[in-house]
Amino acid sequence: MTMKEVFPGVFKVGKKLYTVNMAPGKKVYGEKLVRQQGKEFREWTPERSKLAAAISNNLRHFPFVKDAKILYLGASTGTTVSHVSDICTEGIVYAIEFSERVFHSLLELAKTRKNIVPLMADARKFERYQWVEEVDVIFVDVAQPDETYIAMRNAAEFLKKGGILMISIKSQSIDVTKKSRHVYEQEKQKLEKDYEILELIDLEPFEKNHALLTAKN
Ligand SMILES: C[S@@+](CC[C@H](N)C(=O)[O-])C[C@H]1O[C@@H](n2cnc3c(N)ncnc32)[C@H](O)[C@@H]1O
């Protein structure tokens, strides 16, 4: 079957998602590599990436265009960052991660991809990466109780007017006593005053108790 482009740089065959590998021959997290139409595609697994899970669940707003500048908070070893790097080939991904343990893998990944800038920093202390330019997209996946606050503080500092803020909400990190959809609603309300809410996508069955909230500055 041939690849169908569902968003620029994002391809689908059946239910499987793919991006074009920027570093041919190299896998990032054990994903499958597929050759077709003279290109190498990497499978993008929704069980491993919340952005892929949101696309699989019919995300409508996808701001990761070819030349987008992105600030990614909570990069971990770079699973999702690597696919964003495949898509935004002429853009740049500032990837923030505070855990030294996983940062090492992120550094290794950045060596093979020219558009990833790995930064070991706490997303709560953005003064440490104050020099980062204004960006088109901020993607937040830090799984912290004050995640929305972290997202809003970074957005006030780095997101351009009309830019997109995406927050992966893990309801269990915010309030285990509340039903997930109540937590999603509560986090959405925090944003509503300053941002236009574009969509809220539940990430089940790929990620339990997670949703992806997208808002416009
Ligand atoms: C759920 S994982 C991210 C997975 C990753 N986004 C992906 O899809 O491949 C959350 C990451 O956020 C990092 N993190 C949590 N709080 C942070 C903070 N305040 N500043 C920077 N990184 C943080 C954790 O160390 C962890 O690696």
Side-chain angles (χ1 to χ4, degrees), residues 99-113:
S99 157
E100 204 172 339
R101 191 176 51 83
V102 294
F103 189 74
H104 180 72
S105 308
L106 187 63
L107 265 184
E108 287 304 308
L109 176 71
K111 283 182 190 163
T112 63
R113 291 159 172 272

Side-chain angles (χ1 to χ4, degrees), residues 63-81:
F64 299 94
V65 293
K66 202 174 185 172
D67 61 352
K69 292 176 178 141
I70 296 132
L71 176 62
Y72 191 113
L73 309 179
S76 189
T77 54
T79 300
T80 302
V81 165

Side-chain angles (χ1 to χ4, degrees), residues 15 17 43-50 52-54 56 203 206-207:
K15 287 191 170 173
L17 294 172
E43 192 176 337
W44 192 4
T45 321
E47 287 84 2
R48 299 286 301 275
S49 167
K50 285 149 211 156
S56 296
L203 302 186
F206 307 107
E207 289 278 1

Side-chain angles (χ1 to χ4, degrees), residues 50 72 74-76 79-80 97-99 121-124 141-142 144:
K50 285 149 211 156
Y72 191 113
S76 189
T79 300
T80 302
E97 172 55 55
F98 75 173
S99 157
D122 185 339
R124 292 190 183 98
D141 188 15
V142 288
Q144 295 283 0

Side-chain angles (χ1 to χ4, degrees), residues 92-144:
I92 192 155
V93 192
Y94 297 99
I96 311 291
E97 172 55 55
F98 75 173
S99 157
E100 204 172 339
R101 191 176 51 83
V102 294
F103 189 74
H104 180 72
S105 308
L106 187 63
L107 265 184
E108 287 304 308
L109 176 71
K111 283 182 190 163
T112 63
R113 291 159 172 272
K114 61 180 181 350
N115 57 354
I116 299 177
V117 179
L119 294 161
M120 199 170 90
D122 185 339
R124 292 190 183 98
K125 299 179 183 153
F126 58 79
E127 311 79 48
R128 300 272 168 87
Y129 48 94
Q130 192 89 57
W131 53 267
V132 165
E133 64 193 309
E134 240 188 9
V135 295
D136 305 296
V137 185
I138 300 186
F139 189 91
V140 187
D141 188 15
V142 288
Q144 295 283 0

Side-chain angles (χ1 to χ4, degrees), residues 16-18 29 31-33 41-45 83:
K16 292 189 173 164
L17 294 172
Y18 298 86
Y29 55 102
E31 71 280 18
K32 280 203 187 105
L33 303 179
F41 294 85
R42 287 197 304 133
E43 192 176 337
W44 192 4
T45 321
H83 288 286

